[in-house]
Amino acid sequence: MSLDGNNNLYCVAYAIVGKEKTETWAYFFRNLRFAFQQHGCRKWNWTFISDRMKGVEKALEKEFPQATRRICTQHLYANFKEKWPEPLYHNLFWFAANATSHFVYNKMLDKIGRMSPAAVEYLLNVPQQWSKHQFDPEVACDHNTSNFVESFNALMNELREKPVIELMEDIRTYYMEAFAERAALSEKVELNGPTPYALGCLEANCADSRIYEVIRGGGGEFEVHEGYTKFPVNILSGTCMCGEWQVTGIPCKHACRAIYENKEELVHYLHGYCTGQCYRLTYTDHMHPLPNKDQWPTFQFPEILPPVQERGVGRPTRQRKRKPGYPKKRKGKRSTTITFSICKAPGHNSRSCQGGPTAK
């Protein structure tokens, strides 16, 4: 799964295997690399984000050795919490994980180090990228969790029990319709204009930047004052000391204030991924409709059998297994405390309430 310029889920590839392990992950990444080559893509330094599954790591090292690796901070936090369960560690960890500047990141690690040098050493030894300030500006994506991938897994919950062919067909038809809807939406976006997601971010940043003081410098440089803090901004190089502009590809609130001071349009300073032109190119190709399975052509190829299923002990689970550090899934909006409709008291019912029908 990936993300397009409008922050929508974009399905790149999917496969059915018997079990998640090094061999099956290597099979998946190898075919993914072949698919890229068939479409004329020679890029090798992709950015992958996942949990710390050993199968994924070993397969990526073999098939995409130049790829940049990000770790899902939610998984890293779960492991971190087991070693340092105090609440203060948790707040500092997430401040460090979401820090878009070296200054904030180092400040949070310094506070953690005052309480436990071992905790800082643990975080510094993480081989993958996990703090936003480490991300490549060319990627223009600040996601540091794999939560968006779980949306695809939630979709699959209703389809997992189907036969393989029906399962693959349901996935294809779902994304065929989704891609067609997004292609129609992309046609409404101006080529040099922002996508709806980027436009929403710009409007929010502009609303926050109106009260900031700006001091103009030379060569496209500005000094933006947010309270007692000063943020140097260079609109020519597309940089801000807070780091948010570089990581997201969308001008931050300090950059928006500087660009307005220079009497220019914000859309001229968006990353190319966040524009309507790139959004349209994403959905230039589409999934083609297919006839009924009975009308499919026959080929002189060996019959493809389903993968050998390796079942574990016990009944197979359909829900995601959550670690102790994960928030519980909400089953609904109903309150856990039931209020009796007659006396309006919590926890009462018609039998226990003195003013209920039974008491009468």
Side-chain angles (χ1 to χ4, degrees):
M1 301 301 298
S2 182
L3 295 168
D4 62 18
N6 199 35
N7 207 39
N8 296 129
L9 291 178
Y10 186 89
C11 183
V12 178
Y14 50 89
I16 295 180
V17 296
K19 186 179 181 180
E20 291 187 68
K21 55 185 179 180
T22 303
E23 291 76 12
T24 54
W25 275 115
Y27 158 82
F28 178 80
F29 288 129
R30 183 167 57 252
N31 283 276
L32 181 62
R33 178 163 51 86
F34 291 158
F36 288 154
Q37 293 174 349
Q38 290 176 356
H39 287 78
C41 180
R42 302 299 175 184
K43 175 183 171 67
W44 299 109
N45 57 335
W46 296 92
T47 298
F48 291 91
I49 179 171
S50 69
D51 55 14
R52 308 182 83 172
M53 292 181 59
K54 296 181 179 179
V56 175
E57 295 292 335
K58 294 181 179 179
L60 278 176
E61 291 176 2
K62 180 180 179 180
E63 302 298 337
F64 289 93
Q66 300 178 5
T68 301
R69 293 289 293 113
R70 295 184 189 179
I71 182 176
C72 175
T73 49
Q74 188 65 54
H75 290 82
L76 179 62
Y77 167 70
N79 297 332
F80 182 79
K81 185 177 181 181
E82 292 179 358
K83 299 177 180 293
W84 293 277
E86 290 78 6
L88 184 57
Y89 284 107
H90 310 162
N91 297 332
L92 295 176
F93 170 86
W94 284 112
F95 275 121
N98 294 321
T100 55
S101 70
H102 290 80
F103 173 76
V104 176
Y105 172 78
N106 293 330
K107 188 176 181 179
M108 295 303 106
L109 288 191
D110 181 61
K111 290 184 178 182
I112 295 176
R114 295 175 187 174
M115 298 183 295
S116 173
V120 175
E121 184 178 1
Y122 174 83
L123 295 175
L124 292 177
N125 289 332
V126 176
Q128 302 89 354
Q129 297 178 352
W130 60 278
S131 179
K132 292 185 177 182
H133 82 282
Q134 303 169 327
F135 297 167
D136 185 1
E138 288 299 319
V139 179
C141 179
D142 64 338
H143 282 262
N144 58 0
T145 68
S146 59
N147 292 344
F148 64 92
V149 182
E150 300 302 331
S151 299
F152 177 80
N153 292 337
L155 170 67
M156 292 299 100
N157 279 338
E158 302 298 328
L159 308 177
R160 293 182 190 274
E161 306 301 326
K162 293 188 175 183
V164 173
I165 299 298
E166 294 185 17
L167 170 61
M168 301 294 277
E169 278 296 279
D170 286 346
I171 297 176
R172 182 190 63 82
T173 54
Y174 176 85
Y175 279 106
M176 181 175 67
E177 183 178 9
F179 285 4
E181 292 177 355
R182 296 174 192 173
L185 176 62
S186 67
E187 294 293 332
K188 301 178 182 179
V189 181
E190 297 182 6
L191 289 177
N192 297 324
T195 61
Y197 170 75
L199 180 61
C201 293
L202 288 176
E203 291 176 348
N205 292 339
C206 289
D208 294 338
S209 65
R210 294 175 181 174
I211 61 174
Y212 296 162
E213 180 185 356
V214 182
I215 301 178
R216 180 188 293 271
E221 293 186 326
F222 296 83
E223 186 178 288
V224 181
H225 294 194
E226 182 183 355
Y228 295 100
T229 309
K230 303 175 182 179
F231 293 92
V233 177
N234 190 322
I235 62 176
L236 297 183
S237 61
T239 58
C240 177
M241 185 61 70
C242 74
E244 183 180 340
W245 189 4
Q246 298 90 293
V247 173
T248 63
I250 301 174
C252 61
K253 51 188 179 181
H254 314 109
C256 289
R257 187 68 181 88
I259 294 171
Y260 269 132
E261 181 70 18
N262 209 41
K263 295 181 174 57
E264 294 188 75
E265 296 292 335
L266 297 175
V267 295
H268 297 161
Y269 292 91
L270 280 173
H271 195 287
Y273 294 158
C274 304
T275 61
Q277 182 178 8
C278 188
Y279 190 33
R280 291 188 190 184
L281 288 174
T282 304
Y283 297 100
T284 300
D285 293 332
H286 58 275
M287 291 188 174
H288 302 283
L290 292 177
N292 190 53
K293 184 172 65 173
D294 299 335
Q295 305 178 45
W296 290 357
T298 57
F299 298 94
Q300 299 299 322
F301 292 119
E303 183 181 358
I304 300 178
L305 300 177
V308 178
Q309 188 176 12
E310 300 182 16
R311 292 189 58 178
V313 179
R315 178 179 297 179
T317 59
R318 297 185 62 185
Q319 299 295 332
R320 175 187 175 190
K321 295 182 179 179
R322 298 176 179 267
K323 290 187 176 182
Y326 277 73
K328 294 183 179 180
K329 181 180 178 181
R330 297 181 178 180
K331 295 184 178 180
K333 296 183 179 180
R334 182 177 178 180
S335 174
T336 54
T337 303
I338 300 176
T339 303
F340 190 30
S341 60
I342 296 180
C343 68
K344 308 300 181 182
H348 287 200
N349 54 38
S350 59
R351 294 184 179 274
S352 60
C353 182
Q354 296 295 328
T358 306
K360 295 179 181 179

